[in-house]
Amino acid sequence: MLIETRALTKHFRIGSHQILHAVDGITLSIQENEILGLVGESGSGKSTFGKTLVGLYDRTSGEAFYNGVPLPAKFKSKDHLTYSREMQMIFQDPYSSLNPRMTVLDIIGEGLVLPGTHSRSEIHEKVAYWLEKVGLHPDHMSRYPHEFSGGQRQRIGIARAMIIEPRFVVCDEPISALDVSVQAQIINLLDELKESIGLTLLFIAHDLSMVRYVSHRMAVMYLGTLVEIGPSNELFFDPQHPYTQLLIESNPEPDPVLERSRPHTPIKGEITSPINVKPGCRFVDRCPRAMAHCSHETPEFIATSKDRYVACHLFS
Ligand code: SF4
């Protein structure tokens, strides 16, 4: 197993009395060369989970392992240096994640400067290689981020992450800020890189069709907890948790003929506040199949078949 988390939890304190339960006890594993898709509405805790895993946020409790080695709950500078060579992150917003005052050469080559193992000419050569690999031109390295389109900036962000040759990459909604046509190009690029350099990815997104296309397994989060996990096609075509069912029904189908023939049941209401959450199933206020005990008994995460797990009293 390359990545493993046990009851990983990240809370944020708000004022002196309130706790925001961003991530609450996530247990999952990702095998080498696997792509795990992580889906859920905005506010479900997906990005916070990814950032906590790679040390951008301190862990509140629980455990995380990289290749069997425990990761620190709070990364110090030396941990960032050690693990940034192994784990990288591609960010959601290609506009704000690139320093506007740095050239493309300095942005992409930055990760090679820190360890002090590459000469300036080696960095130049590697940046040129990665610019070509992500579909840009080596001449682009003297330019600044504002000279590029959104899709090109995301390609620069991908090159910045990949030049370190990490084994594990968290892709945090890498396509959601881009036009639909550019989204497909970025997905195809990640697909090619996955094949050519054997990456392990945590792919965070809210477009389930896209996640199904790129990932081997999908995990569904709701209000800081995992509600379902399983092989992508099985989960997409036979969702078990009521939340997953509604999430898939409300996801637009790209084919207009199929889209018209599908059932449409919008999810009622808004995701509940993650501040000072109550015991019981967190989906109870919006669940069309809720039972009396759902509001006070927290469902266990249980296996329903080989490789499929769900947290819902309908299966316990
Ligand atoms: Fe719905 Fe109850 Fe299952 Fe929660 S535990 S998803 S409220 S049926």
Side-chain angles (χ1 to χ4, degrees):
M1 224 42 85
L2 188 65
I3 297 291
E4 201 176 345
T5 67
R6 295 185 197 146
L8 185 145
T9 296
K10 174 63 190 172
H11 291 168
F12 296 94
R13 186 169 285 283
I14 301 177
S16 49
H17 300 299
Q18 296 191 308
I19 303 283
L20 188 148
H21 295 241
V23 176
D24 244 350
I26 299 282
T27 297
L28 56 72
S29 54
I30 311 175
Q31 291 178 34
E32 183 112 48
N33 297 331
E34 183 184 28
I35 299 185
L36 179 71
L38 187 59
V39 298
E41 291 166 285
S42 298
S44 58
K46 311 180 297 290
S47 294
T48 305
F49 174 74
K51 286 178 182 163
T52 309
L53 191 54
V54 299
L56 295 181
Y57 288 145
D58 299 344
R59 209 162 59 231
T60 304
S61 62
E63 296 172 287
F65 300 85
Y66 173 77
N67 209 16
V69 177
L71 293 169
K74 184 179 168 118
F75 274 51
K76 300 193 174 114
S77 307
K78 71 173 178 31
D79 300 313
H80 283 295
L81 201 56
T82 304
Y83 288 108
S84 67
R85 292 176 213 169
E86 307 284 333
M87 304 193 288
Q88 280 287 316
M89 188 145 183
I90 296 169
F91 293 93
Q92 174 177 7
D93 187 350
Y95 295 91
S96 63
S97 64
L98 306 178
N99 187 332
R101 282 186 284 276
M102 287 169 77
T103 63
V104 169
L105 171 65
D106 291 335
I107 289 170
I108 299 179
E110 192 177 22
L112 301 177
V113 175
L114 283 175
T117 52
H118 295 80
S119 66
R120 191 73 187 159
S121 66
E122 283 169 335
I123 292 172
H124 203 275
E125 213 172 286
K126 280 202 159 212
V127 170
Y129 170 83
W130 272 101
L131 278 170
E132 285 197 322
K133 190 110 178 146
V134 299
L136 296 171
H137 196 276
D139 288 349
H140 288 147
M141 70 173 83
S142 56
R143 298 193 193 168
Y144 289 86
H146 73 268
E147 298 177 64
F148 295 90
S149 67
Q152 288 175 320
R153 291 187 211 201
Q154 195 53 292
R155 288 171 191 269
I156 294 167
I158 291 170
R160 175 179 59 181
M162 297 301 172
I163 200 167
I164 316 284
E165 298 176 17
R167 278 170 81 186
F168 175 61
V169 177
V170 175
C171 300
D172 184 13
E173 306 244 18
I175 53 171
S176 60
L178 305 175
D179 292 344
V180 176
S181 58
V182 183
Q183 288 184 358
Q185 292 169 12
I186 297 295
I187 289 292
N188 288 337
L189 171 62
L190 288 169
D191 211 35
E192 276 168 37
L193 292 175
K194 168 194 95 184
E195 293 301 329
S196 64
I197 61 178
L199 278 174
T200 303
L201 296 179
L202 176 67
F203 191 90
I204 299 171
H206 58 260
D207 182 337
L208 275 85
S209 319
M210 205 63 99
V211 175
R212 177 175 74 85
Y213 175 73
V214 293
S215 59
H216 299 102
R217 285 187 305 145
M218 275 207 265
V220 184
M221 274 185 82
Y222 187 77
L223 209 57
T225 62
L226 213 52
V227 297
E228 184 164 2
I229 189 165
S232 295
N233 279 334
E234 282 183 42
L235 189 142
F236 190 83
F237 291 110
D238 177 28
Q240 294 180 326
H241 194 281
Y243 176 61
T244 316
Q245 290 168 357
L246 291 172
L247 203 57
I248 289 169
E249 281 182 27
S250 58
N251 190 61
E253 168 62 53
D255 180 336
V257 179
L258 278 179
E259 174 65 8
R260 277 195 292 276
S261 62
R262 278 174 358 115
H264 276 275
T265 316
I267 312 178
K268 278 194 300 180
E270 298 283 316
I271 195 164
T272 324
S273 166
I275 297 172
N276 297 340
V277 293
K278 296 176 283 191
C281 173
R282 295 188 181 183
F283 190 52
V284 67
D285 294 338
R286 305 171 78 191
C287 179
R289 303 177 69 185
M291 300 167 282
H293 61 299
C294 296
S295 55
H296 51 90
E297 285 176 26
T298 304
E300 297 280 316
F301 207 54
I302 57 161
T304 52
S305 61
K306 186 174 177 294
D307 299 330
R308 295 205 63 178
Y309 295 85
V310 65
C312 172
H313 288 309
L314 292 169
F315 296 87
S316 51

